[in-house]
Amino acid sequence: MLHLSLNFQAHLTLQKTQSYCYRRPLISASFALETGVQGLSSPPNSSVLWVDQSKERIRKLLNEVDYSVSAYDTAWVAMVPDPHSSQAPLFPKCLNWLLDSQLHDGSWSLPHHHPLLLKDVLSSTLACVLALKTWGIGEEHIKKGVRFIELNFALAYEECQFSPVGFDIIFPGMLDHARDLSLGFQLEPKLLNDLLHKRDMELGRIRESHSKKSEAFLAYVSEGLLKLQNWDMAMKFQRKNGSLFNSPSATAAAAINVRNPSCLNYLYSVIDKFGPAVPAVYPLDIYARLCLVDNLEKMGISQYFTNEIQCVLDDTYRCWLQGEEDIFAETSHCALAFRLLRKHGYDISSDPLIGILEDESASSYCCNGSWNEVNALVEVYQASQMAVHENESALEKQNLLSKHLLRQHIFNGCDSKGFPNQIFQQVEYLLKFPSPLILPRVEIRKNIEHYNVDSGRILKTLYRSSNFGNEDLLRLAVRDFNHCQLIHRNELEEIERWYTQNRLHELKFTRHKAIYGFFSAAATIFSPELYEARMSWAKNCVLTTVTDDFFDVGGSEEELRNLIDLLERWDVNISSDYCSDISSDCCSENVQIVFSALRSTISETGEKASILQGRNVTSHTKEIWLELFYGFFREFEWTRDKTVPTLDEYMANGYVSFALGPILFPAIYLRGPKLSEEVARHPEMRSLYKHVSTCGRLLNDMRGFERERKEGKLNSVTLRLSPDGTVSEAAAIEEVKLLIENERRRLLRLVVQKDGSVVPRACKDMFWNLSRILHQFYFNNDGFTSEVEMVDLVKAIIHKPIPLEDFE
């Protein structure tokens, strides 16, 4: 996950001061007790109580969005005159709030100002001073505010300071207004003139473009223009709720200058909801709730909030169908809604999203601020990965464009404009490992490590919401991750004992990768209650590797035929006590070891799965293994006879011989829910299996074709090469890459499809997550030969808890 937020770390320790300030949720010593990290454990009763309370607080946020208060926007609302008496404020309680909320240094803002956020503090303080001066109250407050601005005025021209959206227009505009109100600022004349000149140059540049984007931006910063504003143009951007861009400050400026009744109605609605102190943006409900849903899923704890998440998605879907502005007026909102709705199987078109992206006035691209642009680009990039239909070339184009623009931001070093480096590290990781191409558990750990409870977002001023970042979510995610990891470590020991008890370590020809088999299971089926499915996955992953090696290099033709014969006959008399004597039915000790492990595992998992399914599924598992062995032997014959199959023949056999069937189907049976014989053998199930297996086969061939060519083996890359050189190696690889993407998209389409689908979503997710495993394993090389990266991943998922100090 990328959680794009301003991570100011300890510098932005926001302790609660006055009614609008937010304290940084420090991680207490009890955090270690509650999460179980560093070998500590919590008293059972207190731990359960804390978990229940945290879940309840998160549930509340899924239903009711948390808004922070903006002194800047409250000041502008306070300046609105009563329509019946221009000499009196319409919202006098806002003025009272300003009088009560000034900080000791004379500023209005969040306390303990971050050194790079002083432009925001200057802007908020100047707006508050203007509001008080407008109505002739708070003389001492005004003096203190003016003094703060005078002492820090030079920072307004500092390039290293982070600029709120529109600061270069709004702040000089407010200074002009201060002059009209006869506020006696003692400012450095050169700096003031430079600031005004910069404003005029910026306005000239924007107005010369004559674009919708420029008009939207000027409307958004209306309070900085006032008399200079073309109000007829600005009011074209008024929304159905009466606001300009859901911004109380811009709407207040419009209410002051054009006395628009709808603007006043919007301001009344904000005051009715929040009282005398208003937020920086309202409404934000759909987006904020979706952000929380997204974070819950990306941090691996969505299973605790299934009903609440369903309600959020249903509400969003209804708003999508009704064309609500809360979704379609903001690029980032629309992109996030599209991604989550499509991910959860809602049948929606990508056309509305494409329409917004192609509209120059889309507000996320009008804010003229790097953070907002990066945030929108990230949402678009992630949404464009949900292209599932053949006719969504426009979405594919947006994927390439957003990726290119994100890379440009990184290349240009946007952190020099006030961005923490962490944000760009997250963008780099997202570009390197797109979510569809990374292991679920690996992604969850990365998302937890990147999650920031102190997330702040800047528009015209800094605003915060617990829906974007909160300690409860982080604590719960770390606790859940470490709890699962402890269980997985114990299970790994069980797998290693099983490996030894079945004498698989005695086989000299095979790759001893039991830990990788379990790793792929733990990284995918990680919930503690899915123990049986996880163990089946791990054991069968080991056995498919062993048998693949046996057919590939370890067995003679006699041994291979013998192994197939034993599986076909099944009820044969072989030694079960692992004595040194070889059964008369086995032609070698290797065959006996392999078949004995195979039969005992199939029988064990089949018996457990049959109980859960309420019918015999062992016979189906045997069929899957036999299909695999027939595919293995066919490839053996091609090599033996030096036969070159056609590409179609190779792929028809290759997706089966990639050996995912024996891993997937028993685990699906053990994972649940119940599947009838008809569903288990339905063409949809077969299509899911074929798409993920084909994707895996092509990935394997693309990464390993040079090695296999040296060994005299065929694969889908070498079969595409023409003897006359008309199809080059590079062209063949590009063709395979395109096929991989097509298979991945077809698989995703089946996974998210609801209408006409007979396979339960929980089962389909197994296929999708396996696809993510394959991309992770074959990212740089053959998954079983890229040792260093795999070892690091295994440590991160199974052996290394998430430490407390990561978040301090």
Side-chain angles (χ1 to χ4, degrees):
M1 167 203 65
L2 176 70
H3 180 74
L4 274 181
S5 58
L6 293 176
N7 178 16
F8 297 122
Q9 301 288 343
H11 298 294
L12 197 57
T13 304
L14 307 178
Q15 299 180 349
K16 189 173 183 180
T17 305
Q18 307 294 343
S19 59
Y20 67 98
C21 301
Y22 286 77
R23 173 184 62 84
R24 181 189 181 206
L26 297 174
I27 297 177
S28 62
S30 64
F31 179 80
L33 297 178
E34 293 159 355
T35 59
V37 299
Q38 297 180 330
L40 299 176
S41 60
S42 56
N45 292 337
S46 64
S47 178
V48 171
L49 178 62
W50 172 82
V51 169
D52 290 342
Q53 291 173 342
S54 294
K55 289 179 181 177
E56 190 56 38
R57 287 190 290 268
I58 292 172
R59 287 192 183 96
K60 184 177 179 181
L61 289 173
L62 285 165
N63 292 295
E64 184 177 343
V65 174
D66 169 55
Y67 290 84
S68 66
V69 173
S70 163
Y72 172 81
D73 288 84
T74 300
W76 276 102
V77 173
M79 287 186 242
V80 178
D82 190 318
H84 306 293
S85 174
S86 60
Q87 302 304 309
L90 181 59
F91 304 110
K93 290 183 178 180
C94 292
L95 284 171
N96 292 333
W97 184 88
L98 295 180
L99 292 172
D100 292 338
S101 302
Q102 189 177 33
L103 301 181
H104 64 86
D105 62 358
S107 71
W108 281 266
S109 74
L110 297 173
H112 301 285
H113 322 306
H114 185 273
L116 295 179
L117 274 179
L118 282 172
K119 286 186 180 181
D120 178 38
V121 179
L122 285 170
S123 185
S124 295
T125 302
L126 181 52
C128 292
V129 168
L130 291 175
L132 297 176
K133 183 66 176 179
T134 297
W135 304 113
I137 63 172
E139 183 177 351
E140 289 302 315
H141 293 76
I142 293 173
K143 288 180 179 178
K144 289 176 65 178
V146 167
R147 181 61 177 161
F148 176 86
I149 293 170
E150 290 173 343
L151 289 173
N152 295 278
F153 181 68
L155 293 169
Y157 204 74
E158 285 286 343
E159 292 295 329
C160 65
Q161 282 284 317
F162 188 90
S163 291
V165 174
F167 178 84
D168 290 339
I169 291 175
I170 293 174
F171 190 70
M174 289 194 294
L175 288 174
D176 278 344
H177 188 41
R179 186 166 50 196
D180 294 340
L181 292 174
S182 301
L183 270 168
F185 281 109
Q186 301 297 318
L187 304 175
E188 169 62 41
K190 184 180 185 307
L191 287 177
L192 177 59
N193 290 333
D194 287 346
L195 206 61
L196 295 173
H197 177 71
K198 185 177 181 180
R199 185 269 309 267
D200 295 339
M201 294 292 290
E202 180 73 3
L203 281 175
R205 182 188 63 80
I206 293 172
R207 285 170 171 160
E208 284 177 2
S209 68
H210 301 293
S211 66
K212 289 183 179 180
K213 175 179 177 179
S214 298
E215 290 181 353
F217 176 69
L218 292 176
Y220 181 68
V221 297
S222 287
E223 66 268 32
L225 296 173
L226 296 179
K227 296 176 182 178
L228 299 176
Q229 180 64 284
N230 178 344
W231 286 106
D232 289 336
M233 179 275 293
M235 296 309 293
K236 291 191 301 183
F237 295 95
Q238 187 174 36
R239 295 187 178 175
K240 293 176 183 178
N241 62 12
S243 76
L244 293 180
F245 302 99
N246 290 342
S247 167
S249 54
T251 309
I256 293 169
N257 286 273
V258 298
R259 305 294 178 91
N260 182 282
S262 295
C263 289
L264 293 177
N265 289 336
Y266 168 78
L267 295 175
Y268 275 121
S269 71
V270 176
I271 294 294
D272 287 344
K273 182 172 179 63
F274 297 100
V278 305
V281 55
Y282 174 78
L284 196 64
D285 292 44
I286 292 177
Y287 179 65
R289 294 168 74 201
L290 287 176
C291 282
L292 182 54
V293 169
D294 194 33
N295 282 329
L296 289 170
E297 292 184 345
K298 287 181 173 180
M299 295 176 74
I301 52 175
S302 60
Q303 66 272 21
Y304 302 121
F305 309 96
T306 304
N307 293 334
E308 292 80 7
I309 288 173
Q310 189 63 55
C311 288
V312 172
L313 294 174
D314 287 343
D315 289 346
T316 304
Y317 182 56
R318 183 177 63 255
C319 292
W320 182 283
L321 294 179
Q322 294 172 354
E324 292 282 346
E325 279 185 332
D326 287 354
I327 292 178
F328 295 109
E330 303 282 350
T331 302
S332 55
H333 298 193
C334 183
L336 177 60
F338 172 81
R339 173 165 59 87
L340 290 180
L341 288 176
R342 182 163 278 194
K343 174 184 176 182
H344 285 270
Y346 292 85
D347 187 16
I348 58 173
S349 168
S350 59
D351 291 345
L353 176 61
I354 297 302
I356 290 176
L357 296 175
E358 294 177 349
D359 181 359
E360 281 189 299
S361 64
S363 61
S364 290
Y365 293 102
C366 300
C367 291
N368 202 31
S370 295
W371 184 90
N372 300 284
E373 184 177 350
V374 171
N375 182 52
L377 285 172
V378 166
E379 292 293 2
V380 170
Y381 177 62
Q382 293 184 108
S384 63
Q385 293 168 0
M386 295 302 296
V388 297
H389 300 300
E390 301 294 339
N391 60 345
E392 291 188 316
S393 58
L395 204 56
E396 298 171 30
K397 180 181 176 182
Q398 289 297 331
N399 179 266
L400 296 174
L401 177 60
S402 57
K403 182 190 295 186
H404 170 71
L405 293 174
L406 285 170
R407 283 175 174 164
Q408 271 193 337
H409 275 290
I410 295 172
F411 179 78
N412 292 336
C414 291
D415 53 330
S416 63
K417 298 179 181 179
F419 279 86
N421 286 329
Q422 186 192 26
I423 289 179
F424 291 93
Q425 291 170 359
Q426 293 175 32
V427 172
E428 285 180 313
Y429 187 84
L430 178 68
L431 293 174
K432 185 178 181 182
F433 296 106
S435 183
L437 311 182
I438 184 173
L439 279 166
R441 204 60 175 165
V442 173
E443 182 181 32
I444 286 169
R445 176 162 190 138
K446 288 293 182 183
N447 291 334
I448 292 173
E449 291 172 342
H450 286 161
Y451 188 76
N452 176 29
V453 297
D454 285 333
S455 63
R457 304 189 175 198
I458 285 193
L459 291 173
K460 289 180 283 191
T461 187
L462 177 70
Y463 70 102
R464 301 167 57 77
S465 171
S466 295
N467 292 73
F468 300 147
N470 73 80
E471 187 182 2
D472 283 325
L473 195 154
L474 176 63
R475 288 187 175 202
L476 193 60
V478 173
R479 183 183 188 277
D480 190 77
F481 185 93
N482 289 339
H483 174 64
C484 288
Q485 190 181 68
L486 180 60
I487 292 173
H488 295 162
R489 284 199 296 274
N490 294 331
E491 291 174 352
L492 176 59
E493 293 177 1
E494 184 178 340
I495 286 292
E496 290 171 338
R497 287 194 299 271
W498 166 87
Y499 191 86
T500 302
Q501 290 167 359
N502 282 274
R503 301 174 61 198
L504 296 175
H505 63 291
E506 297 179 20
L507 301 174
K508 305 304 181 184
F509 58 82
T510 191
R511 296 162 283 180
H512 297 293
K513 305 292 183 182
I515 189 171
Y516 288 175
F518 181 76
F519 165 74
S520 67
T524 307
I525 320 170
F526 47 82
S527 296
E529 66 273 14
L530 299 179
Y531 163 80
E532 294 293 357
R534 193 160 48 249
M535 297 302 283
S536 170
W537 180 299
K539 291 176 181 179
N540 285 309
C541 190
V542 171
L543 289 174
T544 54
T545 302
V546 169
T547 53
D548 181 27
D549 290 343
F550 192 52
F551 277 83
D552 198 22
V553 296
S556 65
E557 182 170 352
E558 179 188 8
E559 287 176 314
L560 303 185
R561 291 185 182 276
N562 184 209
L563 182 59
I564 293 173
D565 176 66
L566 290 171
L567 187 58
E568 289 173 335
R569 290 193 289 146
W570 188 251
D571 293 320
V572 293
N573 183 22
I574 63 169
S575 174
S576 59
D577 60 355
Y578 310 122
C579 64
S580 58
D581 295 335
I582 299 174
S583 166
S584 59
D585 287 298
C586 301
C587 68
S588 71
E589 187 175 13
N590 281 351
V591 171
Q592 180 168 323
I593 292 173
V594 172
F595 180 68
S596 178
L598 189 64
R599 188 172 70 171
S600 65
T601 303
I602 293 174
S603 298
E604 177 191 2
T605 57
E607 182 179 347
K608 292 176 179 178
S610 296
I611 293 172
L612 191 149
Q613 291 292 325
R615 63 183 182 86
N616 190 316
V617 299
T618 304
S619 57
H620 186 211
T621 304
K622 288 191 292 185
E623 289 177 27
I624 294 167
W625 273 104
L626 273 172
E627 183 184 29
L628 174 62
F629 281 7
Y630 294 152
F632 281 165
F633 194 75
R634 188 170 295 110
E635 291 179 351
F636 169 81
E637 290 179 316
W638 287 340
T639 302
R640 180 197 65 193
D641 301 336
K642 295 183 172 53
T643 301
V644 179
T646 66
L647 186 57
D648 289 341
E649 289 173 335
Y650 173 83
M651 290 305 302
N653 188 75
Y655 85 86
V656 174
S657 68
F658 192 65
L660 296 184
I663 300 171
L664 267 169
F665 286 99
I668 287 173
Y669 282 136
L670 287 164
R671 191 237 180 272
K674 286 186 176 181
L675 300 175
S676 67
E677 183 83 10
E678 180 184 6
V679 171
R681 297 178 182 273
H682 194 276
E684 181 186 2
M685 187 76 82
R686 187 70 183 187
S687 293
L688 288 161
Y689 167 50
K690 184 174 182 179
H691 287 315
V692 70
S693 296
T694 301
C695 193
R697 169 54 65 195
L698 293 170
L699 279 165
N700 177 274
D701 289 356
M702 184 176 67
R703 294 303 184 190
F705 84 94
E706 290 183 350
R707 173 178 53 80
E708 292 182 334
R709 181 166 55 183
K710 292 176 183 177
E711 296 171 356
K713 298 175 183 176
L714 299 170
N715 73 25
S716 58
V717 175
T718 56
L719 286 172
R720 282 178 164 81
L721 300 176
S722 57
D724 60 2
T726 54
V727 179
S728 66
E729 184 178 295
I733 291 174
E734 286 303 312
E735 185 179 348
V736 170
K737 285 181 179 179
L738 180 61
L739 289 171
I740 291 170
E741 178 57 26
N742 289 338
E743 291 296 331
R744 187 195 68 81
R745 180 180 300 178
R746 293 186 184 112
L747 174 64
L748 181 58
R749 181 163 64 243
L750 283 176
V751 170
V752 302
Q753 178 181 325
K754 282 185 176 180
D755 295 341
S757 176
V758 301
V759 180
R761 178 61 188 264
C763 299
K764 294 196 286 187
D765 283 340
M766 298 272 280
F767 290 93
W768 178 244
N769 286 332
L770 183 51
S771 168
R772 297 173 69 180
I773 291 175
L774 297 172
H775 280 88
Q776 180 84 61
F777 272 33
Y778 293 102
F779 178 72
N780 285 323
N781 210 324
D782 182 331
F784 289 107
T785 58
S786 183
E787 293 286 345
V788 176
E789 289 185 356
M790 287 305 302
V791 167
D792 289 342
L793 288 174
V794 169
K795 287 180 180 178
I797 300 307
I798 299 177
H799 295 297
K800 184 181 178 183
I802 299 177
L804 174 62
E805 56 266 22
D806 281 3
F807 310 103
E808 292 185 318

